[in-house]
Structures are given as structure tokens and as C-alpha cells.
Amino acid sequence: MMKRTILVFLMTTMCATVPVVSQQKIRPIPLSEVTGTAPKETKKEILKLEEEHSLAVWNHDTATLNRLLADNWAYTNERGEVLSKEQWINNIKNRKFVMDATIHDDIRMDQFGDTVVMMGRSTSTLHYNDKVSHGPRRFEVVFVKMNGTWKLVGHFVALVPAAD
């Protein structure tokens, strides 16, 4: 009876921790890890926006994505496909694009007037059109301040070739 009680306790404990673990698969980017010429305040604003964007993708929150992305936003994925805002949001909504986990590092942000270019590396696992893809990837995201609000206007992703 004691073994059964311990087994039930362990299984219950493991099941109770699954939601907490899955919610932590997107690691916020610490400001201290960001290089580049953008001012500190701009970096903080962009990091907040990028985290909101990642969480919206993770949670299939199309309303937030619609608000964050400029109308003429474009996404170029690792296969070279270029998707419009409408196509991207539909892929998220219909779960054709699903992230399992993502960690960004080697982040650089440079500001050019009302434009910020953020580049970095993403180690992630994602599903797109029923195919699994594992990072690492290099990415570049472009933000533009429009009417006082930062918007994502472009996102480019490329796989990092395996070392020989």
C-alpha cells in the first residue's frame, strides 16, 4: 500500500508541474545580454514588445499579433517562403505554426531614426505545416515607430548550418 501511495503522489506531483514547465519554454531576453547602438530605453521597449510577440505566437493569440504587426509586415522563414501578415496570423490561428520551445541569445539592436533592427540567434523547436524543425537559427526583426508606437514590420529567419 505504501508503494502505491508514493507512486500516486509522484504522478500527481509530476502532472501538476507540467503547466509550469511548459510556460517557461520562452526565456525573456535580459537587457544585460543585448549589445548594439540602440539606447537603453529603446532596447527595453523592444524587448518588451518582442516578448509580447513571442508569447502571442506561443499562445496562438491572434488579436495581439494583429495589434503588434504592421499591416505590410512580412515574414521570411527558413525555407525561403515569404508570408504576409494575414498568412502568418492564419498559420498561427490554424496551428500550422507551433513553437515547442525557444531561447534567444547573441542579441544585437541598432537604431536608425525611427527604425530598430534586432538580430540574434534562436535555439528552438517548432512545427510548421506538420514538419518539425530544430534550431539554431539566425534571425533579424525590424521594428518601426509609427505614430508613437513600435510595430514589427519584418522578420527574417535562416537555419545555421551544422559545423563540419
Side-chain angles (χ1 to χ4, degrees):
M1 182 68 178
M2 181 67 146
K3 287 182 183 178
R4 186 173 154 186
T5 304
I6 291 171
L7 181 61
V8 169
F9 172 76
L10 290 174
M11 290 179 67
T12 304
T13 303
M14 287 175 21
C15 290
T17 60
V18 169
V20 174
V21 171
S22 67
Q23 290 174 357
Q24 295 177 0
K25 290 189 177 182
I26 297 176
R27 174 176 110 22
I29 304 165
L31 180 62
S32 61
E33 294 181 14
V34 180
T35 64
T37 62
K40 184 178 180 178
E41 279 306 308
T42 300
K43 288 178 184 176
K44 285 165 66 174
E45 290 175 33
I46 296 299
L47 287 176
K48 183 178 179 216
L49 181 63
E50 181 54 33
E51 183 176 359
E52 190 176 3
H53 173 249
S54 292
L55 288 171
V57 171
W58 179 267
N59 293 315
H60 305 278
D61 180 354
T62 57
T64 298
L65 289 172
N66 198 43
R67 177 178 51 81
L68 297 176
L69 307 177
D71 289 339
N72 58 345
W73 180 85
Y75 173 69
T76 303
N77 66 24
E78 63 196 42
R79 298 177 188 172
E81 299 170 332
V82 179
L83 303 174
S84 68
K85 176 180 178 176
E86 180 181 7
Q87 290 169 317
W88 174 248
I89 289 176
N90 281 333
N91 281 339
I92 301 298
K93 177 182 176 183
N94 297 324
R95 299 185 190 273
K96 290 183 177 183
F97 182 94
V98 177
M99 286 193 310
D100 285 345
T102 187
I103 297 173
H104 298 314
D105 64 357
D106 192 24
I107 305 297
R108 177 183 175 90
M109 271 191 230
D110 293 300
Q111 186 166 0
F112 308 92
D114 287 340
T115 302
V116 170
V117 178
M118 181 173 87
M119 297 172 277
R121 181 177 44 234
S122 176
T123 304
S124 56
T125 301
L126 58 88
H127 303 260
Y128 177 60
N129 284 334
D130 298 323
K131 293 183 182 172
V132 179
S133 175
H134 302 283
R137 297 172 184 80
R138 296 300 297 181
F139 67 87
E140 183 172 279
V141 185
V142 180
F143 303 84
V144 174
K145 197 169 233 181
M146 300 177 176
N147 300 319
T149 303
W150 288 107
K151 294 278 191 176
L152 286 90
V153 297
H155 193 147
F156 176 84
V157 178
L159 282 173
V160 174
D164 293 326

